Amino acid sequence: MMRRLSAQMSGAGLGIAAISYVAVDYMRYVSPAWHSRLQPVLWSALILAVLTRVPFYKHWSKELRAALPFLASVVFLLGALLFEALCVRSVTAVLGLDWHRETSPLPDTGQWFLLALNESLPETIVSILRAHIITLHHFLMLFVMLAFSVAFDSVKPPGLGLGARYIFTMGLGRLLRAITFISTILPSARPWCASARFKNVPSHPHQWAQKYYTPYAKDPSAIRQLLHWDTAYADQGNYIGDYRADWGAMSFLSEFLRPSYSEGSSWFALLKKAGGGCNDLLYSGHMLVAVLTAMAWTEAYGGFSSAMIWLLVAHSAQREIRERHHYTVDCVVAIYVGVLLWKMTGFVWSDKRKTKQAEKLEKIQKRLVHAAKDSDMEAVRRIVEEMEASLGEEKQSGVVSKRTMTVFACATVFTTLGIVVIALTLTSDG
């Protein structure tokens, strides 16, 4: 009874901590003075709560087994983010700034619907819908809180296993997203974006676009002829060339990134300026993170707070559309892609998999049942001896010194906290 009550209190504590974090951070808009006082207190309380529980955590062996998949997932995510950054810059630069200035946004029924709601709903409700209640770094922090809650027995261990699944799924989602938005170039819902953020991108299109897109873009008869001949028949004369940066072995990227002379010193520095790009990037990366956080929370924790997380996902989606960061289709696709990817990658969470020892014990159990049915006591004795010997070997091979486990625990906690600080810093602007 007391154990069940303790579990309920620790579970309720996670939900309260999550809601408190979002509420305190939103106070930066309501009362900056109180926000500056309460935020350090809340952060300190959360960190101290984790640090005080770490010495009593009993599942470090599970965390150790999950460490390698976690690190592999981090490497995979970094690779996916690098590929995505290359695609973002390329898809923004390929048609030139003139195309961004002249191309109108796509008609979006979701934007129309929200504008209609503004006219019919009470002003208080509209103000709540417009409020910046939750952004990207909030969803990341909510997942971090969920993963660290293994120390309070609110979530099944290992926390690194849950983190590995989350990071791997996010990396897979970002990789599929980059492949999706680079396949067909869509105009931004904010036509001024490219001129404001990518001032050094050439105004003219890339040579491929000059040959395969520009001559046929606005002439229906030219498109009909293109379909008939199935070849780029238009003669464009001399193509306008681009500056080629000298990036050593990476100079081939200049063909896709189209740097100017003033920004061509480093390809990596060029990618850091890409940000979210200035095309419509189908599907929304922000919504992917939000949905993965909600899925992880629902599956690993559940309860009333999971419903609150999904409400925050819905609020974030309508704000993405309302503020024209994305079209409605980007948010809709991100939601079902996030759900399906999370369901598909369940194998990554090591708590869901059978260990070799469990598989071996299951085989021995079947042999015992068969021997018992045949009343073969000699076979039962041999199987029991085999099981004892096997367990002894497993125990001996699985022994890890206390000092090694302590070093691993400290390294895990402080490295994870460091990653959290870096992630929150890089995403603090939403």
Side-chain angles (χ1 to χ4, degrees), residues 335-365:
I335 290 172
Y336 66 69
V337 167
V339 172
L340 292 175
L341 284 180
W342 183 262
K343 291 295 186 180
M344 187 185 75
T345 57
F347 68 92
V348 180
W349 192 0
S350 59
D351 184 61
K352 301 295 183 181
R353 296 177 297 176
K354 291 182 179 180
T355 62
K356 291 182 179 179
Q357 182 178 355
E359 292 176 352
K360 186 179 294 186
L361 289 175
E362 187 175 339
K363 292 179 180 179
I364 292 176
Q365 182 181 12

Side-chain angles (χ1 to χ4, degrees), residues 298-313:
T298 302
E299 182 175 312
Y301 182 67
F304 174 75
S305 60
S306 296
M308 291 295 298
I309 301 295
W310 280 108
L311 286 176
L312 292 174
V313 170

Side-chain angles (χ1 to χ4, degrees), residues 121-189:
L121 293 177
E123 185 63 30
T124 303
I125 302 298
V126 175
S127 298
I128 293 174
L129 293 176
R130 291 171 176 165
H132 291 207
I133 296 175
I134 192 162
T135 56
L136 176 63
H137 72 277
H138 292 112
F139 285 112
L140 291 174
M141 185 59 189
L142 288 175
F143 176 77
V144 170
M145 295 170 67
L146 178 71
F148 271 104
S149 67
V150 296
F152 302 89
D153 296 323
S154 298
V155 174
K156 292 181 180 179
L160 287 180
L162 180 59
R165 180 181 180 185
Y166 183 78
I167 293 172
F168 176 79
T169 309
M170 190 184 300
L172 186 59
R174 305 300 285 216
L175 187 62
L176 294 175
R177 175 181 185 244
I179 295 172
T180 302
F181 69 68
I182 203 171
S183 301
T184 301
I185 300 174
L186 302 176
S188 174

Side-chain angles (χ1 to χ4, degrees), residues 12-280:
L14 177 59
I16 293 171
I19 295 172
S20 299
Y21 167 70
V22 175
V24 168
D25 205 59
Y26 180 69
M27 289 192 70
R28 70 175 69 218
Y29 302 105
V30 179
S31 176
W34 275 104
H35 173 263
S36 61
R37 296 190 191 104
L38 292 177
Q39 190 183 48
V41 174
L42 179 61
W43 277 88
S44 300
L46 293 175
I47 293 174
L48 286 174
V50 171
L51 293 178
T52 54
R53 292 287 298 184
V54 166
F56 306 101
Y57 186 54
K58 301 177 181 179
H59 305 287
W60 284 114
S61 58
K62 291 184 178 181
E63 302 293 345
L64 184 60
R65 288 194 296 269
L68 190 58
F70 177 81
L71 293 176
S73 298
V74 171
V75 172
F76 175 69
L77 175 61
L78 293 176
L81 291 176
L82 177 60
F83 177 72
E84 184 186 49
L86 288 168
C87 294
V88 166
R89 169 71 188 202
S90 178
V91 80
T92 300
V94 66
L95 289 172
L97 285 183
D98 287 343
W99 180 85
H100 289 277
R101 297 189 190 102
E102 298 168 1
T103 306
S104 301
L106 300 175
D108 189 349
T109 54
Q111 294 170 359
W112 305 347
F113 178 71
L114 291 174
L115 290 173
L117 287 181
N118 292 347
E119 299 172 357
S120 58
L121 293 177
E123 185 63 30
T124 303
I125 302 298
V126 175
S127 298
I128 293 174
L129 293 176
R130 291 171 176 165
H132 291 207
I133 296 175
I134 192 162
T135 56
L136 176 63
H137 72 277
H138 292 112
F139 285 112
L140 291 174
M141 185 59 189
L142 288 175
F143 176 77
V144 170
M145 295 170 67
L146 178 71
F148 271 104
S149 67
V150 296
F152 302 89
D153 296 323
S154 298
V155 174
K156 292 181 180 179
L160 287 180
L162 180 59
R165 180 181 180 185
Y166 183 78
I167 293 172
F168 176 79
T169 309
M170 190 184 300
L172 186 59
R174 305 300 285 216
L175 187 62
L176 294 175
R177 175 181 185 244
I179 295 172
T180 302
F181 69 68
I182 203 171
S183 301
T184 301
I185 300 174
L186 302 176
S188 174
R190 295 183 164 200
W192 63 87
C193 175
S195 298
R197 293 179 55 188
F198 294 89
K199 298 178 181 179
N200 294 317
V201 167
S203 296
H204 60 276
H206 186 272
Q207 288 188 12
W208 277 19
Q210 292 178 47
K211 180 177 181 180
Y212 300 114
Y213 171 75
T214 305
Y216 320 100
K218 299 179 180 179
D219 187 353
S221 62
I223 296 176
R224 187 181 296 274
Q225 288 280 22
L226 182 67
L227 291 173
H228 177 71
W229 294 104
D230 195 24
T231 185
Y233 64 87
D235 182 11
Q236 289 298 296
N238 295 325
Y239 295 112
I240 305 174
D242 292 333
Y243 166 76
R244 295 301 180 92
D246 182 12
W247 292 333
M250 306 299 291
S251 294
F252 70 95
L253 291 177
S254 181
E255 178 73 21
F256 307 100
L257 304 182
R258 304 189 72 195
S260 65
Y261 179 79
S262 61
E263 61 181 359
S265 59
S266 168
W267 65 272
F268 188 73
L270 189 68
L271 290 182
K272 289 195 295 184
K273 299 177 183 178
C278 278
N279 291 78
D280 179 58

Side-chain angles (χ1 to χ4, degrees), residues 378-391:
E378 182 64 25
V380 171
R381 185 183 63 79
R382 288 198 306 271
I383 293 172
V384 171
E385 290 177 354
E386 179 183 338
M387 183 175 63
E388 290 176 349
S390 176
L391 290 176

